[in-house]
Amino acid sequence: MSTVVGPAAGPLAATFLDLPAGSPGGSVELFLDLYTGDQPLIPARAFMLAPATGPRPRLPAGLDLLAVPGKCLNGARFGRYVAALRQALVTSIDPADIGVLHLQHLTFGATPALIRALPKHPRIVLVHGTDLLFAETHRDQHQVLRETARAADAIVVPTTAMADHLLKLTPQADRRKIVHIPWGIPDHLLTSPPPRPTRASPSHLRLLYAGRLTAEKGVEQLVTALAPVPGVELSIAAPRAQFHALAPLLQRAGARARYLGWLRRPQLWKAFAEHDVLALPSTTLEAMALVALEAQACGLPVLYQPVPGLTEVLAASGVATDFAHSAALARDLDRLRTAPGLLPALRQAGYANAARYPLSATAKTLNKLGRQLA
């Protein structure tokens, strides 16, 4: 049964991200932006995992937690984990209330669990970068990806690069199911970004990295290439444990970095306004790089590695460089610091690029797709 709230709303979705509430990452922020809050953009029964340890995090309205331990990726334990997730969902959801499934990822445990808990509902899959990366390296996740692609009624990708990579992993997937819907950033950030202090031509560049410090994000490459480059101050906003793990590399490279903490989004947006350039040194496919779009909305130019996804979303609105080569990085950083009018021009190009991706447009299109399927 579809539940419609207002003329633009879609059917009530059941959706589940099997990460502990409070986990870092762009996919988590997008999930919370779309499905939670007092007036969610997409009406939903939205679930995440309860943290195994520590205090219960402060939850947004509309988010429920499932206390299911044993999250894993492979083997018999993965099968038991999916079964436990399914049982928790069956206990929590009345199928008659739900109009459509929004499957967060082609892989991981929540997707097969939600399909098995509600086997008769139409299925929209939202593809993120981690789906494809984990399917490449974990046999069981590759199998889940193939099964989910077959079972889906629509497979939503934010960029054509994601569609291309998906079809390399599962060439037999039905291309007619693939729908291109870009992710978006909060509309209010586009209309009311934080004030940006006026700064004279900088004698040094304040470079910011913001995000997780996992291998594919390229931070080790950034630190190594940046160490011999003069006139640059590096700040890092990342999960604390991951920054501590980076400390030995910083010491070996003779590099210094100011640690900002793992910032809540309003704090991060303020930090964007207090820096000159955002570094995006990703070494592999990026789904959408929402952090780059949020930075651009706050007037922060983006220096990025031209990997699939980033080249599509950022193109000439940012500056492509090669973080693997210190000389190339030094040349581009010096140009950003010294070329007259370059930073202001990049700020204007960034504003225009970010304005192409309002979150309301993402939600409107997903709601329309849900109405078509429900």
Side-chain angles (χ1 to χ4, degrees):
M1 180 181 72
S2 299
T3 301
V4 178
V5 182
L12 187 70
T15 190
F16 181 16
L17 188 62
D18 62 325
L19 287 170
S23 295
S27 60
V28 177
E29 300 295 353
L30 180 68
F31 178 84
L32 298 177
D33 283 347
L34 287 173
Y35 302 104
T36 69
D38 293 327
Q39 293 182 308
L41 294 172
I42 298 176
R45 290 294 313 281
F47 298 90
M48 291 184 72
L49 292 176
T53 59
R56 180 184 175 94
R58 184 172 59 185
L59 301 180
L63 179 64
D64 293 316
L65 301 187
L66 299 180
V68 178
K71 180 176 170 64
C72 59
L73 295 171
N74 294 309
R77 289 177 58 241
F78 178 69
R80 292 193 293 271
Y81 172 63
V82 171
L85 292 178
R86 174 196 169 277
Q87 184 56 47
L89 288 166
V90 167
T91 303
S92 302
I93 299 175
D94 183 348
D97 292 339
I98 304 301
V100 65
L101 306 186
H102 279 207
L103 305 169
Q104 306 294 322
H105 300 296
L106 280 159
T107 54
F108 309 126
T111 288
L114 199 49
I115 290 173
R116 295 171 193 177
L118 298 168
K120 297 181 180 180
H121 290 71
R123 302 150 185 170
I124 297 172
V125 185
L126 283 68
V127 185
H128 300 270
T130 47
D131 309 22
L132 308 184
L133 295 175
F134 276 80
E136 285 181 325
T137 56
H138 295 79
R139 184 183 63 183
D140 288 359
Q141 295 306 309
H142 195 183
Q143 180 63 26
V144 173
L145 181 144
R146 291 197 301 266
E147 292 173 355
T148 306
R150 283 196 300 268
D153 295 289
I155 302 172
V156 175
V157 294
T159 59
T160 57
M162 292 285 283
D164 293 342
H165 203 82
L166 170 62
L167 290 169
K168 287 180 182 178
L169 287 172
T170 177
Q172 67 275 27
D174 186 346
R175 295 167 184 256
R176 295 170 297 180
K177 294 180 180 181
I178 299 176
V179 183
H180 179 210
I181 301 176
W183 304 156
I185 61 177
D187 290 44
H188 66 83
L189 185 62
L190 295 170
T191 56
S192 302
R196 186 170 187 85
T198 303
R199 189 184 185 211
S201 297
S203 59
H204 61 276
L205 275 181
R206 300 169 302 181
L207 190 67
L208 173 66
Y209 174 86
R212 293 176 292 115
L213 300 179
T214 47
E216 74 278 1
K217 296 301 182 181
V219 180
E220 292 190 6
Q221 190 170 269
L222 168 66
V223 167
T224 302
L226 196 62
V229 178
V232 179
E233 293 179 357
L234 175 63
S235 300
I236 295 178
R240 183 171 298 276
Q242 294 180 6
F243 181 76
H244 286 165
L246 186 69
L249 175 65
L250 289 167
Q251 187 172 17
R252 288 196 305 272
R256 298 182 63 184
R258 182 166 65 108
Y259 180 55
L260 303 182
W262 180 244
L263 303 177
R264 298 177 64 85
R265 277 167 89 204
Q267 296 172 311
L268 181 60
W269 297 338
K270 183 180 178 184
F272 287 154
E274 295 169 348
H275 287 80
D276 299 309
V277 181
L278 178 76
L280 211 63
S282 301
T283 61
T284 187
L285 172 78
E286 280 280 357
M288 189 80 192
L290 290 173
V291 68
L293 295 174
E294 292 187 3
Q296 288 185 323
C298 295
L300 184 62
V302 178
L303 183 69
Y304 69 97
Q305 187 77 26
V307 297
L310 293 186
T311 53
E312 185 175 337
V313 173
L314 296 174
S317 72
V319 174
T321 192
D322 189 350
F323 287 93
H325 293 90
S326 187
L329 179 61
R331 181 189 65 242
D332 288 326
L333 288 169
D334 187 63
R335 184 163 63 94
L336 287 166
R337 185 173 59 85
T338 61
L342 180 55
L343 285 177
L346 286 168
R347 280 195 284 271
Q348 290 306 312
Y351 284 131
N353 188 57
R356 298 166 55 208
Y357 300 105
L359 186 66
S360 59
T362 304
K364 180 179 179 181
T365 311
L366 285 170
N367 277 324
K368 181 179 178 181
L369 181 59
R371 290 195 300 273
Q372 292 170 349
L373 294 174

